[in-house]
Structure formats: C-alpha cells, structure tokens
Amino acid sequence: MTQTTETAAAPATAAEGTPSGRKGTHRVHRAWFVAAVTFVTIIGAAAFRSLPGLLIDPLNHDFGWSRGTIGAAVSINLALYGLTAPFAAALMDRFGIRRVVAAALTVIALGSGLTVWMTAAWQLLLCWGLLVGLGTGSMALAFAATVTNRWFTERRGLVTGILTAASASGQLIFLPLLSWIVEKHGWRPASVTVALAALAVVPFVWLLLRDHPADVGVRPYGAPEFVPKPEPVPGAARRTVTVLLSAVRTGPFWLLAGTFAICGASTNGLIQTHFVPAAHDHGMPITAAASLLAVIGVFDVAGTIASGWFTDRFEPRRLLAVYYALRGISLLFLPMLLAPNVHTPMIFFIVFYGLDWVATVPPTLALCREQYGEDSAIVFGWVLASHQVGAALVAFLGGVVRDVTGSYDIVWYAAGALCAAAALMALVIRRSPTARELTVATA
C-alpha cells in the first residue's frame, strides 16, 4: 500500500519540483510562497530594529540616562542578535522553523511591551537588551539562510537578496510611522506598536510556513529529484559549537567573520543607531532624519536584490571588495554633509549608502555555502554573530564618543577606514577546491 501511494505521488512532485513549472505546467512552486511568508515575517521582526535610534533622545530627556547607557542596551541587543543566530539555526533543524520563529516573535513582543513600565536603566538592559536581543537573534539572517537552503537549489542568491531586503522593507514601513508616534505621542506608544507588529505575524508563521519541501510533497525549487525530510538533529547546542570549532580552524572563516564585523559596525551599529541623533545634533528634526533613514531602506531593497542577482553571476569576493570600498568612501564624506536641512549632497549619500547597506549579505552567504556545505547555515550564523558584535561595539562606543567629545565625527572617519580594510580582506579569501573545479568544468 505504501509503495503504491509513493509511486502515485511522484508525478505531482516532479511537476512542482521543476523551476517555474518548466515541464508542462505554469503553477508557481510552493517554495516561492514559503519565501513570501518568510519575507513578511522578517518585516514584522524588523519593527523593533527601527526603534532604538528614535528613542535615544526621548529616553535621555525622560530619565536622564546618558547616551552611553542607552547605547549599552542597544549594544547588548545587537550582540545577542548575532550570538543567538547560530543556535537558532541548529534549533530549527531540531524543532522546526515554525516553532522557533513563532516563539521568537512572542519574545520580541514581550520585551518591547514591558518597556512601557520601565523606570530604571537595568530594566532597559533587560527588555531591550536581553529579551528583544534573543528574539530578534532567532529571527536573524540565519532564518533566511535556513529557508533558502531547504527550499531552493536554484536562484539562491536572488532569494537571499530578497529575504535580506525584508529587514530594510520593515525599516521603510515602520521608521516614518514610529518617528511620528514618538514625536506626537511619546516613546511608549511606539514600543506598544512594535509589540503588536510582532504578535500580528505569529498566525501567518504558524498557518502558512512549512519546515521542509517534503512536508508538502514537492522537490526544492530547481532540484533534480525529490529530497526526503531529514530526521530532527538532536543536541542543537552541541552541534552549533562543534561546527564553530571546526570552522575556526580555517582561514576563510576569520576573514568572513572579520569583514562581516566591519559590515555590522558601519551599518547597524553606526548608521542605524546614531544617524538620527547625529543629524539632530546639527539641527535636523528627528522626523526628517528618520525619513532619510527610511529612504536608505527603500534603496537597500533594490541594492540587496540586485546583489543577490550579481552573486549568482559574478565572483562574490570581488563583489564584497567593491561594496566595502564604496561604503568606506561614502562614510568619509558624511561629516561634511550633516546640516539642519536636507540638501542634494545628503540625498546622494542616502541613495548611495542605501544601495550598499546589506548588499554584502548574498556574497557572504554564498562564500559560506562554498566553503562549508551543509553546515553553511550554522557557520553563517556565527559569521552573523561577528557582524552583530561589531555593531554592538560601535553602538556603545559611538555613544561614549558623543558624550566625551560632543561630536560623532571621529566615529565616521574610523568606520570609513575599517571598510577599506574589509575590502582588502575580502580579496584574500581563498576559493574552495570544489568551487575551482566547478569553474574549470563550466569553462
């Protein structure tokens, strides 16, 4: 009976398993629906990441907390966002994507909602730092990497770019709304809005997301044959650490981790956290500065999707070198562009920086796949951890530098120099033997 059922199901899976239904069918492959749900989920989780830069001045005004103290809470959040990611990837292998993501969204909502009642700095560290850091870490790019690896064999670079752009899309949606709420109604309603946004996504995850193509009887997109669902992997924490211990023995891991740490320092840690208060220091209204940050999100979507397309076609090491070099040059000019009003050179910077914001993700993930194969999602999780550690350091140190010197200029110049170093590091990452063989065979 079982053998007959499997044989009968084979033609259906064959039809859906071919990309875009090339063999006689125009049905949209189920993988694209899963990618769409993942996109919406990451947007919902991105709401909190839009908030910290808007609240530095209000919290400083309401509680008298220094920018260094507030930056410390953001720093803990960013560090946990990265350090949780590799364990989350392993937990998804053990318990399934749906359960882990639904739990993470609930924790984000809890942490954001509890900030409404905080009265002391340690509560800020607990809610913003610990709870939301753990929740967003489980919703990090390792989630996108896991979905991409399981559901797609072809178009991985493009899908990675699209899912990475979801975070920027969330910033685009929430930044103008949250800045308006903060200005008109205060920071507490903004925190409640973030909590509700995270909770609103949970039903979509539970009802529409599936852990593996085999759950619905289809092949991964572009796969030549049906792929059975693997058994749950026990010992998620042990596997995560084991993969790390293996990866740290290789040179490419340290180069990827180093470049991605600089990526985090120059984006999440610097621009996302400190751009709004830095612009406000020069007399620009908070709503105007937040709108500029949202415009970065607009062009980030285009830049990241384009980067995914490029990654499917060009050498990822060279792409990374170009991205970091251009980012470093733009940061060196930023101190001269900050002013009370939005002018044309600032618009040019925003567009240019937006195109480069997380364009580094698709080639970095491609290099992880090339070097580490089936463990690439977990390795990428650890590389992402370095990204967030870099972001955390700059989020904290940027606030300290501002408190001590009264200006962010030193931070902009230092970040530009670091980006130049990252461009050089990307060029010396060696190619894996498998990648060289594929290049020769293709030629």
Side-chain angles (χ1 to χ4, degrees), residues 16-22 29 31-32 150-155 213 219-223:
E16 288 204 6
T18 56
S20 300
R22 292 181 201 156
H29 193 281
W32 294 108
R150 290 187 183 184
W151 282 89
F152 291 86
T153 299
E154 293 186 357
R155 305 290 188 269
R219 301 175 185 179
Y221 180 87

Side-chain angles (χ1 to χ4, degrees), residues 143-389:
F143 169 42
T146 302
V147 170
T148 305
N149 288 349
R150 290 187 183 184
W151 282 89
F152 291 86
T153 299
E154 293 186 357
R155 305 290 188 269
R156 280 180 169 175
L158 176 62
V159 175
T160 301
I162 292 172
L163 295 182
T164 303
S167 181
S169 299
Q171 177 175 294
L172 167 65
I173 293 169
F174 286 105
L175 258 176
L177 172 63
L178 293 176
S179 65
W180 178 82
I181 293 175
V182 169
E183 185 174 53
K184 300 296 183 181
H185 304 285
W187 62 269
R188 288 181 175 84
S191 294
V192 172
T193 301
V194 170
L196 293 177
L199 286 177
V201 182
V202 174
F204 290 95
V205 170
W206 196 254
L207 296 175
L208 301 177
L209 194 63
R210 292 294 179 268
D211 293 329
H212 195 277
D215 290 341
V216 290
V218 301
R219 301 175 185 179
Y221 180 87
E225 59 186 20
F226 186 80
V227 178
K229 184 177 181 178
E231 293 295 323
V233 181
R238 187 186 311 111
R239 183 187 174 208
T240 303
V241 175
T242 300
V243 169
L244 173 64
L245 293 176
S246 176
V248 295
R249 297 188 180 97
T250 65
F253 174 82
W254 292 106
L255 291 169
L256 288 167
T259 56
F260 225 39
I262 294 171
C263 178
S266 56
T267 53
N268 301 73
L270 183 59
I271 296 295
Q272 190 166 50
T273 304
H274 294 294
F275 176 80
V276 172
H280 190 55
D281 283 347
H282 287 76
M284 186 180 294
I286 290 178
T287 50
S291 297
L292 289 177
L293 204 55
V295 173
I296 286 180
V298 175
F299 289 94
D300 182 20
V301 173
T304 307
I305 294 175
S307 178
W309 188 86
F310 290 143
T311 301
D312 286 332
R313 290 160 176 80
F314 300 104
E315 171 58 51
R317 293 158 190 77
R318 294 178 182 176
L319 290 176
L320 284 179
V322 171
Y323 296 157
Y324 285 120
L326 293 176
R327 182 184 299 176
I329 292 171
S330 66
L331 284 172
L332 294 177
F333 282 98
L334 181 58
M336 296 178 281
L337 303 179
L338 293 169
N341 300 312
V342 179
H343 47 81
T344 302
M346 174 59 79
I347 294 295
F348 180 79
F349 169 83
I350 293 297
V351 172
F352 186 84
Y353 204 84
L355 291 172
D356 200 331
W357 180 267
V358 286
T360 55
V361 172
T364 300
L365 182 51
L367 290 172
C368 285
R369 288 197 195 99
E370 175 188 308
Q371 298 285 341
Y372 303 104
E374 293 182 356
D375 292 329
S376 61
I378 295 177
V379 173
F380 180 70
W382 284 113
V383 172
L384 178 63
S386 71
H387 180 282
Q388 295 308 114
V389 169

Side-chain angles (χ1 to χ4, degrees), residues 41-64:
T41 303
I42 296 174
I43 286 177
F48 181 83
R49 297 182 62 198
S50 304
L51 193 57
L54 302 177
L55 300 192
I56 290 179
D57 286 334
L59 291 178
N60 174 263
H61 179 269
D62 284 5
F63 298 104

